[in-house]
Amino acid sequence: MVPRFWRKIKYRYDLVGSYCENCGNHFYPPRNFCPVCRRRGAVRETELPDEGTVLSYTVIRDGEPCVVALIELKNGSKLVSQLACSPEEVRTGMRVRKVFRRYGEDGEEGIIHYGTKFVPSE
Amino acid sequence: MRRVAVVGVGQSRFGELWEKGFRDIVLEAGAEALTDADLEGREIEAIYVGNMSAGRYIGQEHVAALIADYAGLAEFGIPATRVEAADASGGLAVRQAYMAVAAGLHDIVIAAGAEKVTDVGDPMEILSASVDIEWERFVGGSLPALYAIMARMHMETFGTTEEDLAMVSVKNHRNGAKNPKAQYRTEISIDSVLNSPYVADPLKLLDCASISDGAAAVILASGEIARKITDTPVYIEACTQASDYLALQNRKDILTMKAVVKAGREAYRFAGILPRDIDVVEVHDSFTIAEILAYEDLGFAEKGRGAELIREGVTELDGDLPVNPSGGLKSCGHAVGATGVRQIVELTLQLRGDAGKRQVDAEKGLALNVGGTGATAVVSILGR
């Protein structure tokens, strides 16, 4: 698990996605190939906006309730992420901003997984 | 292309089959299909096995060769191929078999589907590997969570309610109670669905199909040979497949399974019919919202109006368009790689008039098998 996690750190910690200079589309997770322009595409890395809106969400009830949401960022790209807030707080249309949080670990002595979560920004 | 017919069908019981192994249940389904077709077995020219995750569920790979061996067909050295597309593996195995016969490469082929899931602790975790594990699963986007996100969006966009979703579950259990091979043969009430605990809001425990052990098999033959084997061939009039972005977040419209729309349209065109010509349907109700989405994406209802079909009783066993007369994944149990094949077994029984207490009057049937959150769709149209 470590190498796979490690090679994504740049994208998970800073929310780095990709941008196609040919069609203007943003992608997250990042792609090395533009699915719209294909060979004409010119894909560059880009940092995504910090803020977005909740399009839909769920509260996973398997253990501690955990809020997982589909979020649309200000540039129109969408991502699924955890919300670091209580299940009572979340609602569709809520404005959120990204934060750096712990996601889990590989056992007691294993590596800790960090990544981007979102919190209410209103 | 040649005509292709289903000449024999079989299935194991679905459920927690502690006393049986993977090979036992596949052989049980295969033997029933051979008996149904009145074939000995050595006529089979190729095997396709739909299976998602034998490597993780039972620690065994190379399962197509295993099945050919235990079916006594290794002696003849026939090609045996495993087919994987998450929980659309079974439907896809049927499609591979269909293409082999239609193309004239083989005359008689068996397509089986199987999954043995109760040998591990958390089958849903393995099934959730059908989503993007690095970008969806990492942040908690399991299969139930992603379907829940679709469900909430459908409810808030179109006014679909938790009661509507519950009615799908109630209908499928009512049908499944009439199916001797189903895992859950008990009727349930709307209240029992609504009062079951949340798994991922707004989906409750009884909105979700359980992951089960099970196997199913169909024997396909070219149209010409089929008439010599059986008096009641059921023809495969279309068997199409489409794909979509793997992760939900990359789709423009979260509430439309583009792969289902595309595979459905191609199937109707191929069969030369329209949605209104379909008499009976088996869809992939892994979660209740999936059945509502299927009504819309297959053209039985306009986008956003799927819930009306369940409210008005259209898709009940005695309605205009019975959906999931078998009980669906919800009541039969979702034996992952077996499910798509089981759907073809059910349609064949329905079109032949062999469906017992759940029999409906039908000439054309449609099956939809979905992989993951819709990144693979297989649509089959059968006719008698």
Side-chain angles (χ1 to χ4, degrees), chain B residues 15-253:
Chain B
E16 294 182 7
L17 310 177
W18 302 104
E19 71 290 4
K20 291 174 184 166
F22 182 83
R23 60 192 89 182
D24 302 324
I25 55 175
V26 185
L27 291 185
E28 189 180 328
E32 191 176 297
L34 285 170
T35 305
D36 183 47
D38 197 18
L39 293 173
E40 196 203 331
R42 58 171 62 216
E43 305 89 340
I44 303 293
E45 294 174 20
I47 295 181
Y48 292 90
V49 180
N51 172 258
M52 176 180 171
S53 289
R56 293 183 71 195
Y57 283 124
I58 58 169
Q60 175 77 59
E61 304 290 11
H62 211 180
V63 292
L66 172 81
I67 295 312
D69 180 351
Y70 274 76
L73 295 170
E75 191 65 25
F76 309 114
I78 66 167
T81 309
R82 170 174 166 181
V83 180
E84 191 272 320
D87 35 349
S89 300
L92 203 48
V94 173
R95 180 169 144 86
Q96 300 304 308
Y98 162 80
M99 292 195 297
V101 175
L105 291 175
H106 298 295
D107 288 329
I108 304 179
V109 171
I110 192 161
E115 210 78 48
K116 185 78 182 70
V117 308
T118 53
D119 293 9
V120 293
D122 190 356
M124 183 53 89
E125 187 54 38
I126 297 175
L127 186 64
S128 286
S130 63
V131 307
D132 187 329
I133 59 152
E134 293 195 7
W135 298 101
E136 293 182 305
R137 190 68 197 97
F138 175 81
V139 299
S142 61
L143 206 54
L146 296 169
Y147 271 96
I149 283 172
M150 289 188 245
R152 181 180 309 279
M153 198 182 247
H154 203 275
M155 290 164 61
E156 292 183 349
T157 310
F158 299 122
T160 299
T161 65
E162 293 190 25
E163 284 78 8
D164 295 330
L165 299 179
M167 284 171 79
V168 171
S169 192
V170 169
K171 166 183 72 73
N172 291 349
H173 273 270
R174 193 182 298 132
N175 296 350
K178 299 182 172 67
N179 181 355
K181 298 291 178 80
Q183 179 172 12
Y184 302 105
R185 300 183 58 202
T186 41
E187 296 196 18
I188 57 173
S189 67
I190 293 208
D191 283 345
S192 62
V193 183
L194 293 176
N195 293 327
S196 63
Y198 280 108
V199 171
D201 311 14
L203 298 179
K204 292 159 225 79
L205 188 63
L206 293 180
D207 283 304
C208 313
S210 73
I211 315 295
S212 312
D213 300 333
V218 296
I219 299 172
L220 307 186
S222 68
E224 201 174 311
I225 288 170
R227 282 192 298 276
K228 293 177 195 156
I229 297 175
T230 175
D231 295 332
T232 53
V234 167
Y235 294 96
I236 299 183
E237 299 187 352
C239 190
T240 59
Q241 176 194 355
S243 58
D244 196 353
Y245 290 94
L246 186 72
L248 204 57
Q249 64 201 36
N250 288 130
R251 301 183 198 160
K252 282 191 185 66
D253 177 3

